[in-house]
Every structure is written in C-alpha cells, then in structure tokens.
Amino acid sequence: MKNAIDVASRPYGQSAFGTHKPGAVVSVSPGALGAFGANHHLRQTLVFLDVIVLGQPEMYVNNAGKLFTDDGKLANDDIKKLLTTFGDKFTQWVEKHA
C-alpha cells in the first residue's frame, strides 16, 4: 500500500492525489485489533499528501474471517449496520469536501 501511495504521489506538485481531496481509511485484520497501527500510519501518510481524512468514525474491522458466510455474504446485521453507517458518513464527507 505504501509503495502504491509513493508512486501516485509523484512527481512532486503533480500528485494523483491533487489538493484537499477527501479520503478515509478502513483497516481489516483477522486478529482482534483490526490493524489499528496500520490504520493510523496510513492516516499520517495521507495527511502529508494533503488528503482530508475523515476523522470520525474510525473504522477497524477485526476478526474478518468470521464476518462472512461460506457463500460470501455478511454474517450478521451488526457488521452490516457498521459498514452502512461508515459508508453514509463517508458519503457526507465527500459531498462536503468535493
């Protein structure tokens, strides 16, 4: 991920990220912490690139292997609600900053 961001941020002054574009970070992990550290490191990187990162809600998805049924559907209504809420907030964020 970091390498892809580095490439997209070149050449200096002509970044594919542009100026003040809205963004958000969602991290997913098979463990209990939901890639907390990676999430925050990526946020720092995006701020350096002048991406306006959604502050709240933060999104850490843990135990990802248990979130889907065998046929690939979301396993429960709690995760559906969480993802829908985040999607709605991010949509509002983009509309505000686009």
Side-chain angles (χ1 to χ4, degrees), residues 10-92:
R10 304 290 189 265
Y12 181 77
Q14 299 175 25
S15 169
F17 292 96
T19 302
H20 302 302
K21 287 188 179 178
V25 177
V26 175
S27 55
V28 180
S29 168
L33 294 177
F36 177 85
N39 185 301
H40 281 267
H41 182 69
L42 185 54
R43 286 170 172 273
Q44 291 170 336
T45 301
L46 292 174
V47 167
F48 174 78
L49 295 171
D50 212 13
V51 173
I52 305 168
V53 181
L54 175 67
Q56 294 294 322
E58 293 181 339
M59 185 73 159
Y60 313 98
V61 180
N62 60 354
N63 298 311
K66 299 176 183 176
L67 298 179
F68 297 93
T69 61
D70 289 339
D71 60 349
K73 299 203 183 334
L74 289 171
N76 64 56
D77 289 335
D78 291 338
I79 191 63
K80 287 178 190 176
K81 182 178 178 182
L82 180 67
L83 293 170
T84 299
T85 298
F86 184 85
D88 291 345
K89 293 290 185 179
F90 183 60
T91 298
Q92 293 169 9

